[in-house]
Tab-separated table of all heavy atoms in Angstrom:
chain	number	residue	atom	x	y	z
B	241	GLY	N	105.702	126.073	-7.675
B	241	GLY	CA	105.099	125.278	-8.579
B	241	GLY	C	104.876	125.973	-10.074
B	241	GLY	O	104.996	127.082	-10.079
B	242	GLU	N	104.485	125.181	-11.016
B	242	GLU	CA	104.351	125.757	-12.391
B	242	GLU	C	103.192	126.696	-12.550
B	242	GLU	O	103.158	127.534	-13.336
B	242	GLU	CB	104.373	124.665	-13.428
B	242	GLU	CG	105.629	124.123	-13.706
B	242	GLU	CD	105.510	122.905	-14.674
B	242	GLU	OE1	104.777	123.026	-15.684
B	242	GLU	OE2	106.162	121.848	-14.427
B	243	ASN	N	102.149	126.259	-11.793
B	243	ASN	CA	100.861	126.971	-12.105
B	243	ASN	C	100.907	128.435	-12.202
B	243	ASN	O	100.285	129.021	-13.013
B	243	ASN	CB	99.846	126.435	-11.033
B	243	ASN	CG	99.696	124.982	-11.142
B	243	ASN	OD1	99.919	124.372	-12.192
B	243	ASN	ND2	99.105	124.307	-10.194
B	244	ASN	N	101.673	128.923	-11.300
B	244	ASN	CA	101.672	130.450	-11.124
B	244	ASN	C	102.503	131.118	-12.190
B	244	ASN	O	102.599	132.314	-12.169
B	244	ASN	CB	102.363	130.802	-9.759
B	244	ASN	CG	101.714	130.002	-8.695
B	244	ASN	OD1	100.478	129.742	-8.703
B	244	ASN	ND2	102.581	129.610	-7.763
B	245	MET	N	103.184	130.356	-13.043
B	245	MET	CA	104.076	130.955	-13.983
B	245	MET	C	103.690	130.983	-15.349
B	245	MET	O	103.091	130.122	-15.961
B	245	MET	CB	105.370	130.238	-13.798
B	245	MET	CG	105.718	129.752	-12.406
B	245	MET	SD	107.153	128.822	-12.357
B	245	MET	CE	108.332	129.840	-13.248
B	246	GLU	N	104.167	132.052	-16.162
B	246	GLU	CA	104.007	131.963	-17.610
B	246	GLU	C	105.101	130.914	-17.992
B	246	GLU	O	106.289	130.974	-17.590
B	246	GLU	CB	104.293	133.231	-18.257
B	246	GLU	CG	105.420	134.010	-17.620
B	246	GLU	CD	105.558	135.434	-18.346
B	246	GLU	OE1	105.362	135.534	-19.437
B	246	GLU	OE2	106.009	136.339	-17.569
B	247	ALA	N	104.735	129.954	-18.827
B	247	ALA	CA	105.686	128.986	-19.156
B	247	ALA	C	106.676	129.536	-20.202
B	247	ALA	O	106.392	129.700	-21.362
B	247	ALA	CB	104.935	127.781	-19.900
B	248	VAL	N	107.860	129.787	-19.649
B	248	VAL	CA	108.919	130.193	-20.518
B	248	VAL	C	109.427	128.988	-21.375
B	248	VAL	O	109.412	127.906	-20.823
B	248	VAL	CB	110.117	130.843	-19.693
B	248	VAL	CG1	109.613	132.127	-19.148
B	248	VAL	CG2	110.560	129.931	-18.687
B	249	LEU	N	110.113	129.310	-22.459
B	249	LEU	CA	110.547	128.338	-23.323
B	249	LEU	C	111.787	127.622	-22.680
B	249	LEU	O	111.664	126.318	-22.419
B	249	LEU	CB	110.864	128.943	-24.611
B	249	LEU	CG	110.920	127.978	-25.903
B	249	LEU	CD1	109.537	127.399	-26.059
B	249	LEU	CD2	111.458	128.697	-27.142
B	250	VAL	N	112.764	128.401	-22.401
B	250	VAL	CA	113.977	127.899	-21.708
B	250	VAL	C	114.353	128.783	-20.675
B	250	VAL	O	114.344	130.001	-20.803
B	250	VAL	CB	115.195	127.713	-22.772
B	250	VAL	CG1	116.454	127.555	-22.145
B	250	VAL	CG2	114.874	126.687	-23.828
B	251	SER	N	114.644	128.242	-19.433
B	251	SER	CA	114.922	129.025	-18.305
B	251	SER	C	116.465	129.220	-18.126
B	251	SER	O	116.889	130.152	-17.663
B	251	SER	CB	114.362	128.403	-16.980
B	251	SER	OG	113.013	128.282	-17.048
B	252	GLY	N	117.210	128.174	-18.490
B	252	GLY	CA	118.583	128.288	-18.168
B	252	GLY	C	119.420	127.223	-18.970
B	252	GLY	O	118.941	126.152	-19.501
B	253	ILE	N	120.669	127.544	-18.892
B	253	ILE	CA	121.656	126.740	-19.681
B	253	ILE	C	122.667	126.329	-18.434
B	253	ILE	O	123.091	127.045	-17.732
B	253	ILE	CB	122.561	127.473	-20.663
B	253	ILE	CG1	121.577	128.323	-21.483
B	253	ILE	CG2	123.385	126.517	-21.441
B	253	ILE	CD1	120.795	127.589	-22.513
B	254	ALA	N	122.855	124.905	-18.412
B	254	ALA	CA	123.855	124.471	-17.392
B	254	ALA	C	124.958	123.740	-18.026
B	254	ALA	O	124.912	123.145	-19.105
B	254	ALA	CB	123.142	123.446	-16.409
B	255	LEU	N	126.171	123.952	-17.359
B	255	LEU	CA	127.425	123.262	-17.797
B	255	LEU	C	127.863	122.388	-16.758
B	255	LEU	O	128.167	122.881	-15.604
B	255	LEU	CB	128.432	124.392	-18.170
B	255	LEU	CG	129.765	123.813	-18.646
B	255	LEU	CD1	129.762	123.084	-19.986
B	255	LEU	CD2	130.711	124.982	-18.789
B	256	ASP	N	128.078	121.105	-16.925
B	256	ASP	CA	128.589	120.210	-15.985
B	256	ASP	C	129.935	119.625	-16.426
B	256	ASP	O	129.984	118.880	-17.419
B	256	ASP	CB	127.679	119.048	-15.785
B	256	ASP	CG	128.049	118.108	-14.624
B	256	ASP	OD1	129.133	118.270	-14.068
B	256	ASP	OD2	127.219	117.185	-14.283
B	257	LYS	N	130.997	120.077	-15.717
B	257	LYS	CA	132.351	119.635	-16.186
B	257	LYS	C	132.756	118.322	-15.422
B	257	LYS	O	133.815	117.784	-15.895
B	257	LYS	CB	133.423	120.683	-15.891
B	257	LYS	CG	133.136	122.028	-16.593
B	257	LYS	CD	134.164	123.095	-16.192
B	257	LYS	CE	133.947	124.347	-17.086
B	257	LYS	NZ	134.862	125.421	-16.573
B	258	ASN	N	132.036	117.923	-14.574
B	258	ASN	CA	132.406	116.726	-13.721
B	258	ASN	C	131.882	115.495	-14.456
B	258	ASN	O	131.160	114.808	-13.821
B	258	ASN	CB	131.928	116.912	-12.319
B	258	ASN	CG	132.217	115.648	-11.468
B	258	ASN	OD1	133.220	115.011	-11.664
B	258	ASN	ND2	131.422	115.407	-10.527
B	259	GLN	N	132.199	115.250	-15.690
B	259	GLN	CA	131.652	114.105	-16.429
B	259	GLN	C	132.810	113.362	-17.131
B	259	GLN	O	133.767	113.847	-17.451
B	259	GLN	CB	130.695	114.716	-17.450
B	259	GLN	CG	129.375	115.261	-16.921
B	259	GLN	CD	128.403	114.188	-16.761
B	259	GLN	OE1	128.133	113.207	-17.455
B	259	GLN	NE2	127.618	114.296	-15.577
B	260	ALA	N	132.593	112.158	-17.171
B	260	ALA	CA	133.548	111.234	-17.901
B	260	ALA	C	132.606	110.233	-18.753
B	260	ALA	O	131.470	109.929	-18.318
B	260	ALA	CB	134.437	110.461	-17.067
B	261	ARG	N	133.100	109.750	-19.846
B	261	ARG	CA	132.345	108.939	-20.701
B	261	ARG	C	133.081	107.565	-20.948
B	261	ARG	O	134.221	107.461	-21.036
B	261	ARG	CB	132.312	109.630	-22.100
B	261	ARG	CG	131.444	108.909	-23.159
B	261	ARG	CD	131.579	109.666	-24.395
B	261	ARG	NE	131.119	108.814	-25.506
B	261	ARG	CZ	131.157	109.140	-26.789
B	261	ARG	NH1	131.680	110.283	-27.120
B	261	ARG	NH2	130.789	108.381	-27.717
B	262	VAL	N	132.169	106.534	-20.862
B	262	VAL	CA	132.723	105.208	-21.024
B	262	VAL	C	131.932	104.591	-22.204
B	262	VAL	O	130.797	104.754	-22.275
B	262	VAL	CB	132.587	104.326	-19.729
B	262	VAL	CG1	133.166	102.976	-20.103
B	262	VAL	CG2	133.351	104.969	-18.617
B	263	THR	N	132.737	104.022	-23.108
B	263	THR	CA	132.046	103.274	-24.275
B	263	THR	C	132.502	101.871	-24.263
B	263	THR	O	133.747	101.594	-24.082
B	263	THR	CB	132.377	103.927	-25.637
B	263	THR	OG1	131.980	105.335	-25.587
B	263	THR	CG2	131.434	103.300	-26.707
B	264	ILE	N	131.558	100.902	-24.288
B	264	ILE	CA	132.058	99.526	-24.534
B	264	ILE	C	131.569	99.041	-25.910
B	264	ILE	O	130.366	99.090	-26.205
B	264	ILE	CB	131.384	98.538	-23.437
B	264	ILE	CG1	131.527	99.161	-22.112
B	264	ILE	CG2	131.866	97.179	-23.487
B	264	ILE	CD1	130.773	98.533	-20.944
B	265	ARG	N	132.580	98.728	-26.723
B	265	ARG	CA	132.226	98.411	-28.042
B	265	ARG	C	132.101	96.824	-28.248
B	265	ARG	O	132.643	96.008	-27.498
B	265	ARG	CB	133.559	98.643	-28.936
B	265	ARG	CG	133.764	100.187	-29.130
B	265	ARG	CD	134.878	100.373	-30.138
B	265	ARG	NE	135.484	101.694	-29.936
B	265	ARG	CZ	134.890	102.941	-30.384
B	265	ARG	NH1	133.775	102.730	-31.119
B	265	ARG	NH2	135.446	104.020	-30.218
B	266	GLY	N	131.164	96.461	-29.177
B	266	GLY	CA	131.068	95.110	-29.529
B	266	GLY	C	130.632	94.199	-28.531
B	266	GLY	O	131.018	93.046	-28.348
B	267	VAL	N	129.699	94.753	-27.653
B	267	VAL	CA	129.024	93.820	-26.671
B	267	VAL	C	128.035	92.951	-27.427
B	267	VAL	O	127.370	93.397	-28.244
B	267	VAL	CB	128.224	94.715	-25.698
B	267	VAL	CG1	127.601	93.792	-24.674
B	267	VAL	CG2	129.260	95.736	-24.973
Side-chain angles (χ1 to χ4, degrees):
Chain B
E242 278 174 47
N243 299 338
N244 314 322
M245 317 175 55
E246 41 180 328
V248 291
L249 203 62
V250 167
S251 297
I253 315 286
L255 176 65
D256 184 355
K257 294 180 176 175
N258 178 30
Q259 290 276 320
R261 179 184 166 187
V262 180
T263 308
I264 310 173
R265 292 185 199 280
V267 178

